[in-house]
Amino acid sequence: MDEVEALYQWLATEPSQEADRILAAALEHAEPPYSDRMVATLLQRRSALAWTGLIANYDRLDAPTRQTLGSEPEWVRAGVSASIRGGTHRMRQNGLTALLDYPNLSLSYLAADALRDTDPPTRALAGRVLRRDADRVCTERESEEERADTPPRPVVAERAALVAALREALRTYKFHEQAEVIEACLWFARDLGPTLWGVVSARRSPVARVVAQNLAAWDGPRLAGFLMLALSRPDWRAAARALLSRWSTRAHLLALLRNSDLLGDARVRQQLMLMRRPTWLGAVDRGLADLPAGMRARMPQWISCLGFTDDERVRWLKRWVTAPWPDLHFAAVRALASIGTPQAVAILGAVAARPGPMQYFAQCVVAGRRLRRSSKSRVFPEQLTALGPDQHHTPWLR
């Protein structure tokens, strides 16, 4: 056995961590075939420190070796963390590249820290990691919502870690100037809240400037939350309404429905009333059979908030009064009760005349309106519409 072979056999079997450190330090400068042997020896040692050495030299690994690393997620996590915190730009870039291949939202904060690196390529790579993490969270949520039989997977801790990293990226934008990170921040406008609006609304803010310059190019369904919130802000509402007026696809509609709770803001509703017959309403079948189950019951609320006449609203809502889905039926009947035109009351009368979960509710609304007409009773429709479908287990959509 020659001396080189004896050395590698010793390094492969030496139990102390010094062997991992020796191999990792040597790998940075080795050439084939020695570099290949060092990689193989580190893989054979199978330890967190060995994985750290491999990830610190990620740019020297071939595709099969990179794939093998993924068999030990905890060691990958340790190696990525150590590399991004490493002492050289190369180590940090290798750690970030590995994080692109092996996403881990709990490590998003490391990418946010790397945005402050003095090396421009490292900052650019960190920006890619954060945007990719944001894209991954959005994509998973969207695909889960499309599957009616599978409730969305709770990702509270993962989402919180990503939002914290995005918040830090917002704070340091003036230093790193990675515009793609700001685009990702807009996708999470509701999570970032005052942090985002504080910088977007500030005078001479570089973040506000980059948003204004890129908003049209970034236009897409993931901006729904940002654009709806922007409707309540005088300095952004015109731009938001202009983009929303051009939306036309099913993906646009689903994104808006996903943010239906924002319709509770009177300032948002006031701006939506200026939108008449938006194209995206025609992106699905009017019977709503092609909408995910969790989205259907939100449509009547939108019909009530957009710039339709009462007659137009009634024409939309009457289709859903006989819907086979209880939640949509409830929502349509309640929306009709808030209109109060003769056509709406006539439809409610039909609901009141047939057995069903909303029969009693419709009877109360119709009776209240008759009392008001005949005796000027102080029974107000808005009081009656506060009633819930007490006869059924399915709650009214909040």
Side-chain angles (χ1 to χ4, degrees), residues 200-280:
V200 167
S201 301
R203 289 185 178 182
R204 295 186 294 276
S205 163
V207 175
R209 189 160 52 249
V210 77
V211 172
Q213 291 170 350
N214 291 279
L215 191 59
W218 292 342
D219 184 21
R222 289 176 182 172
L223 286 186
F226 172 79
L227 294 177
M228 287 186 67
L229 290 169
L231 290 175
S232 67
R233 297 180 173 272
D235 48 345
W236 286 100
R237 64 176 47 141
R241 203 168 59 238
L243 285 184
L244 289 173
S245 67
R246 296 202 293 267
W247 282 16
S248 60
T249 69
R250 181 177 185 274
H252 288 136
L253 172 59
L254 290 178
L256 291 170
L257 293 176
R258 201 174 291 126
N259 290 275
S260 295
D261 60 305
L262 294 179
L263 296 177
D265 188 326
R267 297 168 299 177
V268 172
R269 294 197 306 273
Q270 183 182 44
Q271 294 301 309
L272 289 174
M273 288 293 291
L274 301 176
M275 295 181 62
R276 302 182 183 278
R277 304 172 187 84
T279 308
W280 42 263

Side-chain angles (χ1 to χ4, degrees), residues 164-380:
L166 292 175
R167 185 173 284 113
E168 178 65 11
L170 267 178
R171 189 183 70 82
T172 59
Y173 176 77
K174 193 172 182 179
F175 181 81
H176 62 77
E177 295 185 331
Q178 301 301 310
E180 64 181 339
V181 176
I182 303 304
E183 180 185 13
C185 288
L186 298 191
W187 300 343
F188 289 82
R190 301 190 58 177
D191 302 81
L192 292 169
T195 302
L196 175 66
W197 293 108
V199 294
V200 167
S201 301
R203 289 185 178 182
R204 295 186 294 276
S205 163
V207 175
R209 189 160 52 249
V210 77
V211 172
Q213 291 170 350
N214 291 279
L215 191 59
W218 292 342
D219 184 21
R222 289 176 182 172
L223 286 186
F226 172 79
L227 294 177
M228 287 186 67
L229 290 169
L231 290 175
S232 67
R233 297 180 173 272
D235 48 345
W236 286 100
R237 64 176 47 141
R241 203 168 59 238
L243 285 184
L244 289 173
S245 67
R246 296 202 293 267
W247 282 16
S248 60
T249 69
R250 181 177 185 274
H252 288 136
L253 172 59
L254 290 178
L256 291 170
L257 293 176
R258 201 174 291 126
N259 290 275
S260 295
D261 60 305
L262 294 179
L263 296 177
D265 188 326
R267 297 168 299 177
V268 172
R269 294 197 306 273
Q270 183 182 44
Q271 294 301 309
L272 289 174
M273 288 293 291
L274 301 176
M275 295 181 62
R276 302 182 183 278
R277 304 172 187 84
T279 308
W280 42 263
L281 274 179
V284 293
D285 173 75
R286 290 200 173 191
L288 307 187
D290 54 346
L291 276 183
M295 300 286 191
R296 294 187 191 110
R298 305 177 188 184
M299 281 291 284
Q301 189 180 13
W302 278 89
I303 297 302
S304 297
C305 293
L306 291 167
F308 291 116
T309 66
D310 283 342
D311 287 345
E312 289 172 329
R313 289 193 181 95
V314 170
R315 284 197 292 273
W316 276 94
L317 295 169
K318 71 179 181 181
R319 297 185 181 93
W320 304 327
V321 167
T322 56
W325 306 288
D327 283 354
L328 178 58
H329 173 68
F330 294 157
V333 171
R334 289 177 65 98
L336 281 167
S338 69
I339 296 176
T341 63
Q343 295 89 340
V345 174
I347 296 171
L348 289 173
V351 175
R354 62 175 180 263
M358 293 297 281
Q359 181 182 32
Y360 178 69
F361 173 83
Q363 288 172 347
C364 289
V365 174
V366 172
R369 293 190 181 281
R370 287 172 180 167
L371 282 172
R372 188 171 67 170
R373 286 198 305 269
S374 62
S375 62
K376 301 186 185 302
S377 168
R378 294 181 62 82
V379 178
F380 296 97

Side-chain angles (χ1 to χ4, degrees), residues 11-289:
L11 288 171
T13 57
E14 168 60 32
S16 73
Q17 295 181 342
E18 285 305 313
D20 295 312
R21 294 190 179 95
I22 291 170
L23 286 164
L27 179 57
E28 181 178 355
H29 306 286
E31 297 294 335
Y34 301 107
S35 58
D36 299 335
R37 186 67 183 271
M38 291 173 187
V39 168
T41 304
L42 283 167
L43 287 173
Q44 179 183 342
R45 288 183 62 81
R46 296 188 63 78
S47 70
L49 200 57
W51 257 236
T52 297
L54 289 166
I55 289 174
N57 292 280
Y58 204 69
D59 54 349
R60 310 207 66 183
L61 306 183
D62 57 22
T65 301
R66 291 185 177 190
Q67 188 172 5
T68 300
L69 292 179
S71 64
E72 298 291 347
E74 288 304 313
W75 295 350
V76 170
R77 174 189 170 94
V80 165
S81 181
S83 296
I84 295 178
R85 291 190 173 106
T88 67
H89 296 314
R90 176 178 170 270
M91 288 180 65
R92 292 194 284 277
Q93 290 176 23
N94 276 328
L96 290 165
T97 302
L99 197 53
L100 282 171
D101 288 345
Y102 297 101
N104 189 322
L105 292 178
S106 67
L107 298 182
S108 296
Y109 73 96
L110 293 174
D113 290 344
L115 285 172
R116 298 196 300 270
D117 200 282
T118 57
D119 178 53
T122 302
R123 296 199 300 271
L125 196 54
R128 283 181 57 199
V129 170
L130 277 179
R131 190 188 184 283
R132 193 283 322 276
D133 284 348
D135 176 78
R136 177 174 168 236
V137 170
C138 292
T139 299
E140 288 183 357
R141 190 71 178 183
E142 290 157 4
S143 64
E144 287 170 351
E145 286 176 341
E146 284 281 6
R147 298 194 297 270
D149 57 339
T150 305
R153 178 176 62 92
V155 289
V156 176
E158 293 179 357
R159 190 181 185 98
L162 174 61
V163 170
L166 292 175
R167 185 173 284 113
E168 178 65 11
L170 267 178
R171 189 183 70 82
T172 59
Y173 176 77
K174 193 172 182 179
F175 181 81
H176 62 77
E177 295 185 331
Q178 301 301 310
E180 64 181 339
V181 176
I182 303 304
E183 180 185 13
C185 288
L186 298 191
W187 300 343
F188 289 82
R190 301 190 58 177
D191 302 81
L192 292 169
T195 302
L196 175 66
W197 293 108
V199 294
V200 167
S201 301
R203 289 185 178 182
R204 295 186 294 276
S205 163
V207 175
R209 189 160 52 249
V210 77
V211 172
Q213 291 170 350
N214 291 279
L215 191 59
W218 292 342
D219 184 21
R222 289 176 182 172
L223 286 186
F226 172 79
L227 294 177
M228 287 186 67
L229 290 169
L231 290 175
S232 67
R233 297 180 173 272
D235 48 345
W236 286 100
R237 64 176 47 141
R241 203 168 59 238
L243 285 184
L244 289 173
S245 67
R246 296 202 293 267
W247 282 16
S248 60
T249 69
R250 181 177 185 274
H252 288 136
L253 172 59
L254 290 178
L256 291 170
L257 293 176
R258 201 174 291 126
N259 290 275
S260 295
D261 60 305
L262 294 179
L263 296 177
D265 188 326
R267 297 168 299 177
V268 172
R269 294 197 306 273
Q270 183 182 44
Q271 294 301 309
L272 289 174
M273 288 293 291
L274 301 176
M275 295 181 62
R276 302 182 183 278
R277 304 172 187 84
T279 308
W280 42 263
L281 274 179
V284 293
D285 173 75
R286 290 200 173 191
L288 307 187

